[in-house]
Amino acid sequence: MIKKLRKAVLPVAGLGTRFLPATKAMAKEMLPVVDKPLIQYAVEEARAAGIEQFCLVTGRGKTALVEHFDVAFELEATLRDRDKKEALASLSGSHSEPGSITTVRQQTPLGLGHAIWCARAFIGDDPFAILLPDDLVLSDKPCLQQLAEAYYETGGNIVAVTEVPREQTNRYGILKTGSDDGRLVEVTGLVEKPAPKDAPSNLSIIGRYILMPEVLGHLARMERGTGNEVQLTDGMARLIGEQPFHGLRYEGRRFDCGNKIGFLEAQIAFALKRPDLADAVRAFLKNYT
Ligand code: G1P
């Protein structure tokens, strides 16, 4: 029986060094694309996939992420008094069901695998999604929803994948592939950030996963991998052969908002999707050299 997917873990403990000085006193996940912080895109995408419970794996200086999903009583009362309907309505996605967001702390930066392991009590015996808020996907159907549908089809573990240029394999988790129908790929191996010459393919993992709780047993070994960190990719690799494991070529375009170019591209792409901004942005791009 395939268990319903209700839980998501969002690792948000990273320091955001690539966005200093902006992230000196602010969580990088609070950086907005157009007018919405990265963390809210991730939470909204998860909700669309049926996620009801969230665990943020945080660290020091990240309290704004939790505040963001709380009721801002004074702000909302003031907006109501002033009859600012549009501003009030814009807050709706930042509200959350009481009790639906929990946090754990990753006290030491030992890697993504360690961050996920820190959420083990939240995960319990259930399947769970992971969303890395740095990865933003522009698509007709939210990326995690596509992944959840594939999970209900296949059962077992599934990661969102996309082809990258060979010279970029050292930035991502890379798949070794078995059978492949052009959409779903059987995963026969996983390597974290291989050099292009060692990469088993150019199919890379993006920050969307649906995993079975058994991965936690493998992560608990705390084996260090690439970058001397506990890698999620290594923990997942140990599930291959024990449980079904697939990659899904999702429909949509991914923006790596963990680096400046990806972040800037996302601003433009998302602004061009906004009826209130698209014409002005297009006109600016056309005339600006
Ligand atoms: C992490 C994962 C990597 C994955 C990537 C997706 O790397 O370790 O396997 O491909 O996210 O964005 P990071 O970006 O944290 O270096």
Side-chain angles (χ1 to χ4, degrees):
M1 193 199 65
I2 299 180
K3 264 194 173 176
K4 192 166 181 328
L5 178 72
R6 298 179 200 276
K7 294 182 176 176
V9 178
L10 288 84
V12 290
L15 293 177
T17 45
R18 273 179 281 184
F19 282 95
L20 286 170
T23 49
K24 184 180 171 190
M26 186 181 82
K28 67 170 173 168
E29 298 80 8
M30 287 304 293
L31 291 171
V33 169
V34 186
D35 51 10
K36 200 195 289 184
L38 288 170
I39 187 73
Q40 191 178 328
Y41 284 96
V43 165
E44 288 181 357
E45 183 184 326
R47 283 190 193 125
I51 299 295
E52 296 162 2
Q53 298 165 34
F54 296 85
C55 179
L56 307 187
V57 183
T58 66
R60 288 173 63 80
K62 298 279 183 166
T63 42
L65 295 171
V66 181
E67 293 277 323
H68 184 74
F69 293 99
D70 200 354
V71 174
F73 180 79
E74 287 168 357
L75 171 66
E76 290 170 34
T78 308
L79 294 176
R80 249 188 305 276
D81 280 354
R82 296 184 183 168
D83 204 26
K84 301 263 186 202
K85 289 197 182 65
E86 237 177 87
L88 256 180
S90 75
L91 291 174
S92 67
S94 66
H95 291 146
S96 56
E97 280 292 306
S100 64
I101 297 186
T102 180
T103 64
V104 295
R105 287 241 180 176
Q106 184 188 25
Q107 290 108 328
T108 33
L110 296 179
L112 180 58
H114 176 257
I116 300 305
W117 176 82
C118 287
R120 63 198 178 285
F122 168 80
I123 296 165
D125 288 327
D126 294 317
F128 64 103
I130 301 172
L131 298 99
L132 308 185
D134 279 358
D135 275 331
L136 202 52
V137 186
L138 188 58
S139 55
D140 292 336
K141 188 183 280 188
C143 185
L144 193 68
Q145 190 183 341
Q146 299 178 41
L147 211 57
E149 287 173 5
Y151 161 68
Y152 290 119
E153 236 173 84
T154 59
N157 306 277
I158 183 145
V159 291
V161 298
T162 189
E163 259 100 18
V164 290
R166 259 271 145 191
E167 62 273 16
Q168 291 179 11
T169 57
N170 59 359
R171 296 192 204 167
Y172 304 105
I174 299 291
L175 270 60
K176 185 168 181 230
T177 64
S179 64
D180 184 347
D181 69 6
R183 175 176 161 263
L184 276 174
V185 194
E186 186 198 355
V187 180
T188 57
L190 289 166
V191 197
E192 180 67 8
K193 302 191 171 79
K197 65 172 176 38
D198 303 325
S201 77
N202 66 341
L203 213 47
S204 75
I205 303 174
I206 72 153
R208 299 291 182 276
Y209 311 71
I210 294 173
L211 299 179
M212 301 304 106
E214 286 76 15
V215 73
L216 295 169
H218 297 304
L219 294 174
R221 299 150 80 126
M222 294 296 148
E223 283 172 1
R224 305 293 184 101
T226 304
N228 198 31
E229 292 187 344
V230 180
Q231 294 292 351
L232 177 61
T233 301
D234 296 339
M236 295 192 303
R238 291 187 178 273
L239 294 172
I240 298 166
E242 293 178 359
Q243 297 178 336
F245 209 127
H246 293 88
L248 173 75
R249 288 192 185 81
Y250 56 94
E251 169 278 312
R253 164 124 193 215
R254 172 277 199 114
F255 296 90
D256 180 359
C257 294
N259 77 60
K260 285 169 202 160
I261 293 296
F263 184 64
L264 293 171
E265 287 171 353
Q267 303 289 350
I268 297 168
F270 278 72
L272 288 172
K273 282 278 167 193
R274 285 270 297 256
D276 55 335
L277 301 172
D279 288 346
V281 174
R282 204 169 281 118
F284 172 76
L285 291 173
K286 206 169 148 217
N287 299 324
Y288 189 80
T289 43

